[in-house]
mmCIF file of all heavy atoms in Angstrom:
data_model
loop_
_atom_site.group_PDB
_atom_site.id
_atom_site.type_symbol
_atom_site.label_atom_id
_atom_site.label_comp_id
_atom_site.label_asym_id
_atom_site.label_seq_id
_atom_site.Cartn_x
_atom_site.Cartn_y
_atom_site.Cartn_z
ATOM 1 N N LEU A 1 84.577 98.424 113.895
ATOM 2 C CA LEU A 1 85.961 98.526 113.430
ATOM 3 C C LEU A 1 86.954 98.239 114.534
ATOM 4 O O LEU A 1 88.003 97.634 114.287
ATOM 5 C CB LEU A 1 86.200 99.902 112.804
ATOM 6 C CG LEU A 1 85.461 100.113 111.477
ATOM 7 C CD1 LEU A 1 85.634 101.540 111.011
ATOM 8 C CD2 LEU A 1 85.932 99.127 110.424
ATOM 9 N N SER A 2 86.645 98.655 115.751
ATOM 10 C CA SER A 2 87.531 98.348 116.889
ATOM 11 C C SER A 2 87.639 96.845 117.093
ATOM 12 O O SER A 2 88.719 96.316 117.315
ATOM 13 C CB SER A 2 87.008 99.000 118.169
ATOM 14 O OG SER A 2 87.060 100.395 118.071
ATOM 15 N N CYS A 3 86.512 96.162 117.018
ATOM 16 C CA CYS A 3 86.525 94.690 117.179
ATOM 17 C C CYS A 3 87.307 94.013 116.067
ATOM 18 O O CYS A 3 88.095 93.097 116.324
ATOM 19 C CB CYS A 3 85.077 94.165 117.204
ATOM 20 S SG CYS A 3 84.188 94.543 118.709
ATOM 21 N N LEU A 4 87.110 94.451 114.834
ATOM 22 C CA LEU A 4 87.838 93.855 113.723
ATOM 23 C C LEU A 4 89.333 94.133 113.828
ATOM 24 O O LEU A 4 90.153 93.224 113.666
ATOM 25 C CB LEU A 4 87.290 94.372 112.397
ATOM 26 C CG LEU A 4 87.893 93.753 111.150
ATOM 27 C CD1 LEU A 4 87.654 92.235 111.119
ATOM 28 C CD2 LEU A 4 87.339 94.404 109.890
ATOM 29 N N ARG A 5 89.698 95.365 114.135
ATOM 30 C CA ARG A 5 91.126 95.696 114.273
ATOM 31 C C ARG A 5 91.767 94.912 115.404
ATOM 32 O O ARG A 5 92.901 94.436 115.281
ATOM 33 C CB ARG A 5 91.316 97.198 114.492
ATOM 34 C CG ARG A 5 90.964 98.025 113.269
ATOM 35 C CD ARG A 5 91.091 99.504 113.583
ATOM 36 N NE ARG A 5 92.468 99.830 113.900
ATOM 37 C CZ ARG A 5 93.331 100.309 113.012
ATOM 38 N NH1 ARG A 5 92.940 100.519 111.779
ATOM 39 N NH2 ARG A 5 94.551 100.577 113.348
ATOM 40 N N GLU A 6 91.056 94.776 116.494
ATOM 41 C CA GLU A 6 91.596 93.981 117.624
ATOM 42 C C GLU A 6 91.830 92.542 117.198
ATOM 43 O O GLU A 6 92.823 91.928 117.536
ATOM 44 C CB GLU A 6 90.637 94.043 118.813
ATOM 45 C CG GLU A 6 91.146 93.346 120.058
ATOM 46 C CD GLU A 6 92.433 93.947 120.612
ATOM 47 O OE1 GLU A 6 92.640 95.168 120.519
ATOM 48 O OE2 GLU A 6 93.254 93.172 121.152
ATOM 49 N N MET A 7 90.904 92.006 116.436
ATOM 50 C CA MET A 7 91.021 90.621 115.978
ATOM 51 C C MET A 7 92.212 90.439 115.039
ATOM 52 O O MET A 7 92.925 89.441 115.098
ATOM 53 C CB MET A 7 89.745 90.183 115.275
ATOM 54 C CG MET A 7 89.795 88.764 114.773
ATOM 55 S SD MET A 7 88.268 88.304 113.974
ATOM 56 C CE MET A 7 87.194 88.275 115.393
ATOM 57 N N LEU A 8 92.445 91.410 114.184
ATOM 58 C CA LEU A 8 93.476 91.262 113.164
ATOM 59 C C LEU A 8 94.863 91.690 113.604
ATOM 60 O O LEU A 8 95.858 91.090 113.191
ATOM 61 C CB LEU A 8 93.091 92.077 111.933
ATOM 62 C CG LEU A 8 91.789 91.692 111.221
ATOM 63 C CD1 LEU A 8 91.547 92.618 110.041
ATOM 64 C CD2 LEU A 8 91.803 90.239 110.775
ATOM 65 N N TYR A 9 94.976 92.737 114.418
ATOM 66 C CA TYR A 9 96.273 93.352 114.656
ATOM 67 C C TYR A 9 96.740 93.501 116.100
ATOM 68 O O TYR A 9 97.933 93.531 116.364
ATOM 69 C CB TYR A 9 96.297 94.788 114.081
ATOM 70 C CG TYR A 9 95.896 94.900 112.661
ATOM 71 C CD1 TYR A 9 94.793 95.637 112.300
ATOM 72 C CD2 TYR A 9 96.637 94.296 111.654
ATOM 73 C CE1 TYR A 9 94.411 95.768 110.964
ATOM 74 C CE2 TYR A 9 96.270 94.429 110.331
ATOM 75 C CZ TYR A 9 95.150 95.164 109.995
ATOM 76 O OH TYR A 9 94.803 95.286 108.704
ATOM 77 N N ASP A 10 95.846 93.723 117.008
ATOM 78 C CA ASP A 10 96.237 94.247 118.320
ATOM 79 C C ASP A 10 96.617 93.153 119.315
ATOM 80 O O ASP A 10 96.888 92.023 118.957
ATOM 81 C CB ASP A 10 95.139 95.167 118.853
ATOM 82 C CG ASP A 10 94.980 96.413 117.985
ATOM 83 O OD1 ASP A 10 95.979 96.832 117.369
ATOM 84 O OD2 ASP A 10 93.879 96.956 117.923
ATOM 85 N N ALA A 11 96.617 93.503 120.573
ATOM 86 C CA ALA A 11 97.111 92.655 121.648
ATOM 87 C C ALA A 11 96.490 91.262 121.665
ATOM 88 O O ALA A 11 97.155 90.289 121.973
ATOM 89 C CB ALA A 11 96.894 93.332 122.991
ATOM 90 N N ASN A 12 95.213 91.161 121.346
ATOM 91 C CA ASN A 12 94.523 89.870 121.368
ATOM 92 C C ASN A 12 94.272 89.317 119.984
ATOM 93 O O ASN A 12 93.357 88.539 119.787
ATOM 94 C CB ASN A 12 93.196 90.006 122.109
ATOM 95 C CG ASN A 12 93.383 90.202 123.580
ATOM 96 O OD1 ASN A 12 94.229 89.564 124.180
ATOM 97 N ND2 ASN A 12 92.614 91.097 124.171
ATOM 98 N N ALA A 13 95.091 89.707 119.004
ATOM 99 C CA ALA A 13 94.883 89.257 117.634
ATOM 100 C C ALA A 13 94.899 87.727 117.574
ATOM 101 O O ALA A 13 95.654 87.057 118.291
ATOM 102 C CB ALA A 13 95.982 89.812 116.736
ATOM 103 N N VAL A 14 94.044 87.202 116.735
ATOM 104 C CA VAL A 14 93.998 85.755 116.527
ATOM 105 C C VAL A 14 94.807 85.437 115.274
ATOM 106 O O VAL A 14 95.014 86.304 114.413
ATOM 107 C CB VAL A 14 92.539 85.255 116.396
ATOM 108 C CG1 VAL A 14 91.757 85.527 117.673
ATOM 109 C CG2 VAL A 14 91.833 85.878 115.201
ATOM 110 N N PRO A 15 95.274 84.194 115.142
ATOM 111 C CA PRO A 15 95.996 83.829 113.921
ATOM 112 C C PRO A 15 95.134 84.093 112.682
ATOM 113 O O PRO A 15 93.918 83.940 112.736
ATOM 114 C CB PRO A 15 96.275 82.334 114.095
ATOM 115 C CG PRO A 15 96.190 82.091 115.572
ATOM 116 C CD PRO A 15 95.184 83.093 116.082
ATOM 117 N N SER A 16 95.763 84.477 111.591
ATOM 118 C CA SER A 16 94.979 84.851 110.402
ATOM 119 C C SER A 16 94.072 83.734 109.930
ATOM 120 O O SER A 16 92.948 83.987 109.484
ATOM 121 C CB SER A 16 95.909 85.316 109.268
ATOM 122 O OG SER A 16 96.792 84.290 108.890
ATOM 123 N N SER A 17 94.512 82.478 110.050
ATOM 124 C CA SER A 17 93.658 81.351 109.623
ATOM 125 C C SER A 17 92.403 81.266 110.500
ATOM 126 O O SER A 17 91.323 80.951 109.999
ATOM 127 C CB SER A 17 94.452 80.054 109.659
ATOM 128 O OG SER A 17 94.938 79.804 110.963
ATOM 129 N N LYS A 18 92.542 81.547 111.781
ATOM 130 C CA LYS A 18 91.377 81.520 112.674
ATOM 131 C C LYS A 18 90.469 82.717 112.396
ATOM 132 O O LYS A 18 89.241 82.587 112.402
ATOM 133 C CB LYS A 18 91.820 81.528 114.131
ATOM 134 C CG LYS A 18 90.648 81.399 115.100
ATOM 135 C CD LYS A 18 91.094 81.297 116.548
ATOM 136 C CE LYS A 18 89.888 81.191 117.460
ATOM 137 N NZ LYS A 18 90.262 81.123 118.863
ATOM 138 N N ALA A 19 91.067 83.887 112.143
ATOM 139 C CA ALA A 19 90.269 85.072 111.824
ATOM 140 C C ALA A 19 89.411 84.811 110.594
ATOM 141 O O ALA A 19 88.251 85.190 110.547
ATOM 142 C CB ALA A 19 91.173 86.284 111.631
ATOM 143 N N GLU A 20 90.003 84.146 109.594
ATOM 144 C CA GLU A 20 89.249 83.845 108.381
ATOM 145 C C GLU A 20 88.043 82.968 108.676
ATOM 146 O O GLU A 20 86.959 83.164 108.119
ATOM 147 C CB GLU A 20 90.154 83.169 107.347
ATOM 148 C CG GLU A 20 91.205 84.097 106.781
ATOM 149 C CD GLU A 20 92.223 83.409 105.902
ATOM 150 O OE1 GLU A 20 92.024 82.225 105.547
ATOM 151 O OE2 GLU A 20 93.216 84.068 105.553
ATOM 152 N N LEU A 21 88.197 82.001 109.576
ATOM 153 C CA LEU A 21 87.084 81.146 109.963
ATOM 154 C C LEU A 21 85.992 81.899 110.703
ATOM 155 O O LEU A 21 84.801 81.670 110.525
ATOM 156 C CB LEU A 21 87.562 79.965 110.796
ATOM 157 C CG LEU A 21 88.454 78.943 110.104
ATOM 158 C CD1 LEU A 21 88.998 77.940 111.103
ATOM 159 C CD2 LEU A 21 87.691 78.246 108.985
ATOM 160 N N ILE A 22 86.402 82.833 111.544
ATOM 161 C CA ILE A 22 85.460 83.598 112.363
ATOM 162 C C ILE A 22 84.657 84.576 111.523
ATOM 163 O O ILE A 22 83.424 84.631 111.635
ATOM 164 C CB ILE A 22 86.205 84.355 113.492
ATOM 165 C CG1 ILE A 22 86.839 83.369 114.457
ATOM 166 C CG2 ILE A 22 85.254 85.313 114.225
ATOM 167 C CD1 ILE A 22 87.865 83.998 115.397
ATOM 168 N N ILE A 23 85.337 85.323 110.694
ATOM 169 C CA ILE A 23 84.650 86.398 109.961
ATOM 170 C C ILE A 23 84.198 86.014 108.553
ATOM 171 O O ILE A 23 83.417 86.726 107.954
ATOM 172 C CB ILE A 23 85.481 87.693 109.924
ATOM 173 C CG1 ILE A 23 86.842 87.439 109.269
ATOM 174 C CG2 ILE A 23 85.631 88.281 111.305
ATOM 175 C CD1 ILE A 23 87.706 88.674 109.136
ATOM 176 N N GLY A 24 84.705 84.908 108.033
ATOM 177 C CA GLY A 24 84.211 84.411 106.763
ATOM 178 C C GLY A 24 84.876 84.968 105.517
ATOM 179 O O GLY A 24 84.385 84.718 104.416
ATOM 180 N N VAL A 25 85.945 85.715 105.658
ATOM 181 C CA VAL A 25 86.706 86.199 104.499
ATOM 182 C C VAL A 25 88.191 86.055 104.789
ATOM 183 O O VAL A 25 88.610 85.975 105.941
ATOM 184 C CB VAL A 25 86.400 87.673 104.149
ATOM 185 C CG1 VAL A 25 84.957 87.843 103.742
ATOM 186 C CG2 VAL A 25 86.767 88.606 105.247
ATOM 187 N N LYS A 26 88.964 86.085 103.735
ATOM 188 C CA LYS A 26 90.423 85.990 103.895
ATOM 189 C C LYS A 26 90.938 87.218 104.639
ATOM 190 O O LYS A 26 90.358 88.295 104.589
ATOM 191 C CB LYS A 26 91.100 85.869 102.540
ATOM 192 C CG LYS A 26 90.728 84.602 101.804
ATOM 193 C CD LYS A 26 91.965 83.983 101.234
ATOM 194 C CE LYS A 26 91.652 82.670 100.567
ATOM 195 N NZ LYS A 26 91.895 81.549 101.436
ATOM 196 N N PHE A 27 92.054 87.031 105.326
ATOM 197 C CA PHE A 27 92.666 88.090 106.130
ATOM 198 C C PHE A 27 92.874 89.358 105.309
ATOM 199 O O PHE A 27 92.551 90.456 105.758
ATOM 200 C CB PHE A 27 93.996 87.577 106.702
ATOM 201 C CG PHE A 27 94.669 88.513 107.638
ATOM 202 C CD1 PHE A 27 94.359 88.479 108.997
ATOM 203 C CD2 PHE A 27 95.603 89.417 107.176
ATOM 204 C CE1 PHE A 27 95.001 89.343 109.875
ATOM 205 C CE2 PHE A 27 96.236 90.284 108.050
ATOM 206 C CZ PHE A 27 95.924 90.247 109.409
ATOM 207 N N ASN A 28 93.394 89.213 104.096
ATOM 208 C CA ASN A 28 93.669 90.387 103.250
ATOM 209 C C ASN A 28 92.388 91.167 102.950
ATOM 210 O O ASN A 28 92.395 92.382 102.884
ATOM 211 C CB ASN A 28 94.361 89.976 101.958
ATOM 212 C CG ASN A 28 95.754 89.444 102.193
ATOM 213 O OD1 ASN A 28 96.331 89.621 103.262
ATOM 214 N ND2 ASN A 28 96.303 88.787 101.191
ATOM 215 N N GLY A 29 91.311 90.460 102.735
ATOM 216 C CA GLY A 29 90.035 91.116 102.478
ATOM 217 C C GLY A 29 89.533 91.867 103.705
ATOM 218 O O GLY A 29 89.014 92.974 103.592
ATOM 219 N N ALA A 30 89.704 91.276 104.862
ATOM 220 C CA ALA A 30 89.285 91.922 106.109
ATOM 221 C C ALA A 30 90.131 93.179 106.385
ATOM 222 O O ALA A 30 89.619 94.170 106.875
ATOM 223 C CB ALA A 30 89.391 90.960 107.283
ATOM 224 N N GLU A 31 91.411 93.113 106.036
ATOM 225 C CA GLU A 31 92.291 94.277 106.218
ATOM 226 C C GLU A 31 91.785 95.513 105.480
ATOM 227 O O GLU A 31 91.965 96.635 105.929
ATOM 228 C CB GLU A 31 93.707 93.958 105.735
ATOM 229 C CG GLU A 31 94.547 93.191 106.690
ATOM 230 C CD GLU A 31 95.964 93.065 106.188
ATOM 231 O OE1 GLU A 31 96.175 92.671 105.029
ATOM 232 O OE2 GLU A 31 96.867 93.382 106.981
ATOM 233 N N LEU A 32 91.174 95.308 104.355
ATOM 234 C CA LEU A 32 90.693 96.426 103.554
ATOM 235 C C LEU A 32 89.614 97.237 104.288
ATOM 236 O O LEU A 32 89.441 98.413 104.027
ATOM 237 C CB LEU A 32 90.134 95.929 102.206
ATOM 238 C CG LEU A 32 91.153 95.289 101.265
ATOM 239 C CD1 LEU A 32 90.446 94.716 100.045
ATOM 240 C CD2 LEU A 32 92.230 96.281 100.879
ATOM 241 N N LEU A 33 88.910 96.597 105.195
ATOM 242 C CA LEU A 33 87.891 97.308 105.966
ATOM 243 C C LEU A 33 88.475 98.199 107.046
ATOM 244 O O LEU A 33 87.811 99.123 107.521
ATOM 245 C CB LEU A 33 86.923 96.303 106.609
ATOM 246 C CG LEU A 33 86.047 95.535 105.652
ATOM 247 C CD1 LEU A 33 85.291 94.440 106.386
ATOM 248 C CD2 LEU A 33 85.089 96.462 104.945
ATOM 249 N N CYS A 34 89.702 97.902 107.453
ATOM 250 C CA CYS A 34 90.335 98.678 108.511
ATOM 251 C C CYS A 34 90.959 99.908 107.946
ATOM 252 O O CYS A 34 91.236 100.847 108.554
ATOM 253 C CB CYS A 34 91.367 97.842 109.241
ATOM 254 S SG CYS A 34 90.641 96.455 110.134
#
């Protein structure tokens, strides 16, 4: 969860389009896990 939150929101967050490519789901779907 720390890794996912860092990717989506924190200091080193990646753009949502890149996050979707990395984790394989849309940003909104990934947010639900946090």
Side-chain angles (χ1 to χ4, degrees):
L1 291 174
S2 295
C3 287
L4 184 60
R5 291 176 64 96
E6 184 62 34
M7 180 179 291
L8 299 178
Y9 306 118
D10 295 331
N12 289 319
V14 298
S16 61
S17 58
K18 184 176 180 181
E20 291 173 10
L21 293 173
I22 295 166
I23 58 177
V25 297
K26 297 225 176 263
F27 185 88
N28 293 344
E31 279 187 310
L32 295 174
L33 292 172
C34 294

